[in-house]
Amino acid sequence: MSLSSILYLFFLLLVFAVYYALPHRFRWSWLLLAGYFFYFTFHPLFLILLVVSTSVAYGFGRLVKPSQSRLLLGSGVGLLLLPLLFFKYYAFLNQNLTSLLGFWGHSSPFPSWAPLVPVGISFYTFQAISYLIDIRRGYLKPERHFGYFATYLAFFPTLSAGPIERAKRLLTQLHTPQPFRYENAVAGLQLIAWGLFKKVVIANQLAALLDPVFAQPQSQSGLVLYSALIFAPFQIFCDFSGYSDIARGSARMLGLHLMRNFDDRVYASSSRIEFWKGWHISLTSWFRDYVYFPLSKSLRSRTGLYMNLLVVYFLTGLWHGATWGYILWGLLNGLWLVAEHATKAQRQSFFRRLWPDLNAPAHRFLSTLLVFHAGALMGVFLRAPTVGAAGAFLTGLVSANRWEVSAIGGVKPFIPVVLGLLLMDIVNRRLNGRELPELLASYHGLPRWSFYLALCILILTFGRITDTPFFYYQF
């Protein structure tokens, strides 16, 4: 069940109505039932795996002690990672092992099999791991009620693609009675409408245009390839931030607050360091707290810190998927960040000779332009279906014979999407760090209802509320 489908909207309204009709002590069971039903709609076997992971995390959470139980913690984390490693990485590892052994004239002892990857397994596995680590660090007390803990991992808005919520934040809210508030219901619907606009008006339309280009880049003109290059980051942003808005809006209707997963104008970042502070925040903060900080705790050398940064972004790429394209994308981002950190003083000294004020609009514009294109070029390995397709895409970009003037007609289909992106950027500029409901609350009467009407017309006219999977479902 996709969060952008009509079925999900009816499902959410049913959950909402029954949730507030029940006394607080029964609400966890209703949310758990809703979460399990939601996950069951993807595949019945996925639900079994979720229940097993929940039981493992709950059981080890009761055994792990603060500042002790290192072996228990390692065992719990290892068991939680096993399903993820098997379902998501077995085929990739076995394929590469087969190729390596074949080079030496041997065959792999493991069967060739590509298991179906359960939706959201990377997200709820990371939530379960952070729960165990936080208990051992003394940040969190073990949850004694299995039902509440199961609800935390199976909370339906976050189950398929995050945000990766920390147990302390969400479990506390689940335990706290949430009375019906009209403002929460309205704010939730506003976020859902905004997320649907991003998803079905912009992201889905871009996906239809970009999928053929990335699948067969060798048959495209240079101008079409360049258009795909600059629009692909917006497709992924609108798709994933749209999902996050719908998820946060769904939770808000139930009186629960999820973390923000994206800065509103992260695509306008003037450095990749700034970009990664505002992109998929729940994942980047997870790797920061549970990988980078522990690895760097006793380090003093810059070289060691830079190596840890590369490790983190290698894992970030691998988390996204078991392909060399994702791994290359992660490593390229890590290398760029290391370069930004290592050359910061020299770059500032150089650019101050050109612009004494590094915050000058011209300097920020050029920095943003460079960083956006660098990110888009690295993102080809994320967006293209194979490394070979990514290579053909990049080769086509720099092939002089691909840039015929007659190919300009190939970019005309992108024009309607540009209008949607401009509308999104205008709203995001006005947000300026605020939530959308806060912005809309500052408008009254005609302006606010005009915005609602415009969103509805655009969604119904240019987009279709379908079961089209979100881009991050595959991760």
Side-chain angles (χ1 to χ4, degrees):
M1 188 192 308
S2 172
L3 266 67
S4 61
S5 67
I6 293 177
L7 179 60
Y8 175 78
L9 296 179
F10 283 112
F11 166 76
L12 176 62
L13 291 175
L14 175 63
V15 173
F16 171 80
V18 176
Y19 176 81
Y20 283 111
L22 290 172
H24 170 69
R25 65 181 182 275
F26 297 127
R27 286 180 179 175
W28 69 264
S29 55
W30 173 242
L31 289 180
L32 180 60
L33 179 64
Y36 281 170
F37 172 78
F38 174 80
Y39 205 52
F40 183 85
T41 62
F42 288 103
H43 197 290
L45 292 178
F46 293 175
L47 181 56
I48 297 173
L49 188 61
L50 174 61
V51 173
V52 170
S53 295
T54 301
S55 302
V56 169
Y58 175 79
F60 275 91
R62 297 295 301 273
L63 296 173
V64 170
K65 305 297 180 185
S67 302
Q68 301 175 16
S69 316
R70 180 174 296 180
L71 180 60
L72 281 173
L73 175 64
S75 301
V77 170
L79 285 174
L80 289 170
L81 284 174
L82 276 178
L84 178 64
L85 294 173
F86 176 74
F87 284 97
K88 195 167 181 176
Y89 301 104
Y90 172 83
F92 173 71
L93 293 173
N94 190 41
Q95 180 183 3
N96 283 276
L97 178 63
T98 301
S99 300
L100 182 63
L101 291 175
F103 179 78
W104 297 103
H106 302 285
S107 59
S108 172
F110 304 104
S112 178
W113 184 47
L116 186 64
V117 181
V119 171
I121 187 171
S122 300
F123 293 91
Y124 69 72
T125 298
F126 272 30
Q127 286 195 176
I129 290 173
S130 66
Y131 168 75
L132 294 183
I133 296 175
D134 284 351
I135 290 175
R136 188 179 182 278
R137 289 178 175 177
Y139 298 161
L140 179 71
K141 292 184 178 180
E143 175 57 56
R144 296 186 175 277
H145 194 292
F146 180 81
Y148 274 103
F149 180 73
T151 305
Y152 156 66
L153 283 190
F155 187 48
F156 68 90
T158 66
L159 188 51
S160 49
I164 305 171
E165 284 290 333
R166 306 294 172 89
K168 187 171 185 177
R169 175 183 170 90
L170 188 52
L171 275 172
T172 300
Q173 294 184 76
L174 290 172
H175 278 289
T176 305
Q178 306 291 344
F180 172 77
R181 288 191 174 91
Y182 174 77
E183 316 85 73
N184 281 335
V186 171
L189 289 171
Q190 290 169 341
L191 286 171
I192 290 171
W194 187 234
L196 284 173
F197 166 75
K198 291 180 183 178
K199 169 61 177 170
V200 303
V201 176
I202 302 178
N204 282 2
Q205 307 307 313
L206 279 175
L209 294 170
L210 298 179
D211 285 349
V213 178
F214 280 97
Q216 293 184 319
Q218 62 276 5
S219 61
Q220 308 295 332
S221 71
L223 191 58
V224 170
L225 290 175
Y226 180 71
S227 299
L229 178 77
I230 62 173
F231 281 111
F234 289 107
Q235 182 219 334
I236 298 173
F237 171 80
C238 290
D239 192 282
F240 197 16
S241 70
Y243 173 94
S244 297
D245 287 338
I246 297 171
R248 293 173 64 238
S250 301
R252 184 74 172 269
M253 290 178 67
L254 304 174
L256 305 171
H257 294 259
L258 301 180
M259 70 180 295
R260 295 182 68 177
N261 218 9
F262 291 88
D263 283 348
D264 299 309
R265 300 189 73 242
V266 66
Y267 46 81
S269 301
S270 60
S271 71
R272 291 300 283 182
I273 294 173
E274 180 185 344
F275 173 86
W276 278 106
K277 287 179 180 178
W279 180 271
H280 202 173
I281 299 169
S282 64
L283 178 68
T284 53
S285 63
W286 195 98
F287 275 116
R288 178 197 66 202
D289 294 343
Y290 302 109
V291 179
Y292 182 76
F293 283 166
L295 286 176
S296 306
K297 191 174 182 181
S298 58
L299 285 177
R300 294 293 181 268
S301 70
R302 285 183 177 270
T303 303
L305 294 175
Y306 293 156
M307 288 302 299
N308 289 345
L309 201 57
L310 285 176
V311 169
V312 164
Y313 280 91
F314 165 77
L315 293 175
T316 300
L318 194 60
W319 178 92
H320 279 78
T323 71
W324 286 111
Y326 293 136
I327 293 172
L328 276 172
W329 172 76
L331 286 173
L332 287 171
N333 273 276
L335 287 169
W336 188 280
L337 288 174
V338 168
E340 280 194 2
H341 281 291
T343 63
K344 182 178 179 180
Q346 293 86 344
R347 285 184 294 109
Q348 287 183 344
S349 175
F350 172 79
F351 284 116
R352 278 199 177 96
R353 297 173 187 172
L354 304 176
W355 286 285
D357 180 10
L358 294 182
N359 293 318
H363 181 268
R364 182 167 180 90
F365 172 76
L366 292 175
S367 297
T368 300
L369 199 63
L370 170 64
V371 167
F372 179 84
H373 279 81
L377 287 167
M378 291 186 284
V380 170
F381 294 98
L382 179 71
R383 186 62 179 78
T386 64
V387 174
F393 186 100
L394 295 173
T395 301
L397 274 177
V398 296
S399 298
N401 60 354
R402 296 280 196 95
W403 288 82
E404 306 93 352
V405 177
S406 59
I408 194 168
V411 302
K412 288 182 179 178
F414 290 97
I415 294 175
V417 183
V418 171
L419 300 177
L421 287 170
L422 288 174
L423 175 59
M424 179 189 71
D425 191 61
I426 289 170
V427 173
N428 285 345
R429 284 175 182 272
R430 291 184 174 274
L431 287 174
N432 196 26
R434 293 179 292 176
E435 294 278 13
L436 180 69
E438 294 178 58
L439 174 65
L440 293 177
S442 66
Y443 293 94
H444 301 283
L446 184 61
R448 186 193 299 178
W449 284 100
S450 297
F451 180 75
Y452 295 157
L453 182 62
L455 281 188
C456 291
I457 291 174
L458 287 168
I459 290 170
L460 295 174
T461 304
F462 296 101
R464 294 178 301 151
I465 304 178
T466 67
D467 285 323
T468 304
F470 283 87
F471 187 74
Y472 264 68
Y473 274 8
Q474 62 188 306
F475 304 141

